[in-house]
Amino acid sequence: MVVTNVTEYQAIAKEKLPKMVYDYYASGAEDQWTLEENRNAFSRILFRPRILIDVSKIDMTTTVLGFKISMPIMISPTTMQKMAHPDGEYATARAASAAGTIMVYKDRNVVAQLVRRAEGAGFKAIALTVDTPRLGRRESDIKNRFTLPPFLTLKNFEGLDFGKMDKANESGLAAYVAGQIDRTLSWKDVKWLQTITTMPILVKGVITAEDTRLAVQAGAAGIIVSNHGARQLDYVPATILALEEVVKAAQGRVPVFLDGGVRRGNDVFKAMSLGASGIFIGRPVVFSLAAEGEAGVKKVLQMLRDEFELTMALSGCTSLKGITRNHIVTEWDAPRSRPAPRL
């Protein structure tokens, strides 16, 4: 099969992966309304392309937290990638490096040992996932009684007292997380984290203006608009619909990134038009990893890059700065004024 777009990797992954593993990656919370909406909302944003512009040279490079990357397409925190392929995160990191982009890692437990380990390994930033005081109700995992395959361990927690994930009557993951997550986590802990590391902290899981302002006040270096891949609270807005509210509240004080639902290069363009500094992809990575390993992840990044470049060209944009709000029209825009008809 010749893969021509990112979405096709999901069907291949479904055939190759055990049902429990595929369902873990693919499913969302409860009715999975937000899971569908994350994707569908992009289709309701239309383009307003400009014409007769010289697009023979297009520059997609950008800077994230001081680091120059080849394009505003990055890889989001996705756990347990070795369930998809034996090379797991190693393959994904190599693919990201080859594409000239970055892969962000997360620290859910906010423990000093993990932060020191990350610093020692040369990481440059932390993505702090803030929308999981409890794990969302993922009914596929409950049906499958999800637990780690016997050949895998939570390697990042080796040597730390975090227990282990055992089989349970429902989801082993849910039972494990319930015993590990600190439900008292608050904005003061974001400030505390800054006292034990000099790494910039991206707050991942913001979808409202109110929390955007609190994140800025707490010293976040950036914000990732995310609904956790629609795996936490169902019936929250698609991230692309929440993006503009967050961007406006940030007022340019910190960069705002988008995570969730991106499957085409034109999705990237729409996010940039709404003020995103870049986007993150998650499921496309694990599905392509399952299908073709490192080569699959490389191909996903290349396809998104090519599609994004084409969208820029057909919209009349030669650089990221040239992508503006005027290049799209959304369902919440006021009707554009039209000249009065001549009598």
Side-chain angles (χ1 to χ4, degrees):
M1 176 181 176
V2 178
V3 176
T4 57
N5 64 73
V6 167
T7 305
E8 290 176 349
Y9 274 120
Q10 182 165 351
I12 299 171
K14 187 174 184 178
E15 291 182 0
K16 296 189 70 169
L17 292 173
K19 184 178 187 301
M20 181 185 74
V21 173
Y22 173 80
D23 286 350
Y24 171 77
Y25 289 138
S27 63
E30 297 184 347
D31 297 329
Q32 303 189 110
W33 182 88
T34 299
L35 181 68
E36 295 296 321
E37 182 68 358
N38 263 1
R39 186 71 210 106
N40 293 339
F42 278 102
S43 69
R44 302 196 297 273
I45 300 173
L46 305 180
F47 292 119
R48 300 183 68 248
R50 301 300 306 276
I51 58 173
L52 291 177
I53 296 171
D54 181 355
V55 291
S56 57
K57 293 182 181 179
I58 292 180
D59 181 12
M60 291 184 288
T61 60
T62 189
T63 301
V64 174
L65 300 178
F67 296 91
K68 189 173 182 179
I69 57 176
S70 68
M71 58 183 174
I73 302 168
M74 296 161 282
I75 296 175
S76 63
T78 46
T79 59
M80 298 184 282
Q81 293 183 24
K82 281 200 171 186
M83 293 196 304
H85 188 275
D87 290 342
E89 286 82 355
Y90 296 121
T92 302
R94 289 193 296 264
S97 178
T101 188
I102 59 176
M103 177 179 177
V104 175
Y105 287 82
K106 64 180 166 183
D107 166 18
R108 284 190 178 184
N109 296 280
V110 201
V111 273
Q113 300 100 309
L114 287 175
V115 172
R116 287 197 293 268
R117 188 180 294 175
E119 288 176 329
F123 292 108
K124 304 301 182 184
I126 292 176
L128 178 64
T129 304
V130 294
D131 57 0
T132 51
R134 294 179 61 177
L135 206 66
R137 184 174 175 83
R138 305 166 190 176
E139 295 179 3
S140 292
D141 289 349
I142 294 171
K143 287 183 172 69
N144 294 329
R145 297 186 179 183
F146 176 85
T147 190
L148 276 180
F151 59 90
L152 290 183
T153 59
L154 296 172
K155 194 72 176 177
N156 205 36
F157 296 155
E158 273 191 359
L160 303 175
D161 185 20
F162 282 119
K164 61 180 181 177
M165 191 187 305
D166 296 316
K167 288 186 178 295
N169 290 331
E170 294 189 346
S171 165
L173 176 64
Y176 174 80
V177 170
Q180 302 301 331
I181 285 184
D182 181 1
R183 298 182 188 179
T184 68
L185 192 69
S186 68
W187 289 109
K188 70 179 186 299
D189 296 291
V190 178
K191 289 183 175 293
W192 168 79
L193 189 55
Q194 294 171 66
T195 68
I196 64 168
T197 182
T198 58
M199 289 189 292
I201 298 163
L202 296 169
V203 176
K204 177 177 178 285
V206 176
I207 58 172
T208 66
E210 296 92 328
D211 284 336
T212 300
R213 289 188 282 268
L214 289 171
V216 172
Q217 291 169 15
I223 289 170
I224 302 176
V225 177
S226 171
N227 53 34
H228 212 100
R231 294 158 67 79
Q232 283 297 102
L233 180 62
D234 203 10
Y235 296 96
V236 297
T239 50
I240 191 64
L241 300 186
L243 175 61
E244 195 165 32
E245 175 182 335
V246 172
V247 168
K248 288 179 178 178
Q251 297 181 326
R253 290 171 292 181
V254 296
V256 175
F257 304 95
L258 176 97
D259 171 71
V262 172
R263 298 295 184 273
R264 287 281 191 181
N266 58 41
D267 296 335
V268 182
F269 188 98
K270 292 173 183 179
M272 303 292 284
S273 297
L274 289 168
S277 294
I279 66 91
F280 289 90
I281 55 171
R283 285 187 177 93
V285 170
V286 292
F287 291 146
S288 60
L289 183 66
E292 296 180 357
E294 182 180 338
V297 181
K298 285 181 178 177
K299 189 167 182 179
V300 157
L301 292 170
Q302 187 63 49
M303 285 191 292
L304 289 175
R305 178 189 177 90
D306 291 345
E307 290 174 359
F308 179 48
E309 183 178 29
L310 178 61
T311 305
M312 288 181 66
L314 295 178
S315 298
C317 299
T318 59
S319 69
L320 301 186
K321 289 182 179 179
I323 302 173
T324 72
R325 184 63 170 79
N326 288 327
H327 283 100
I328 59 168
V329 60
T330 71
E331 56 195 359
W332 61 89
D333 288 338
R336 294 180 179 271
S337 60
R338 296 179 181 177
R342 292 184 179 182
L343 298 177

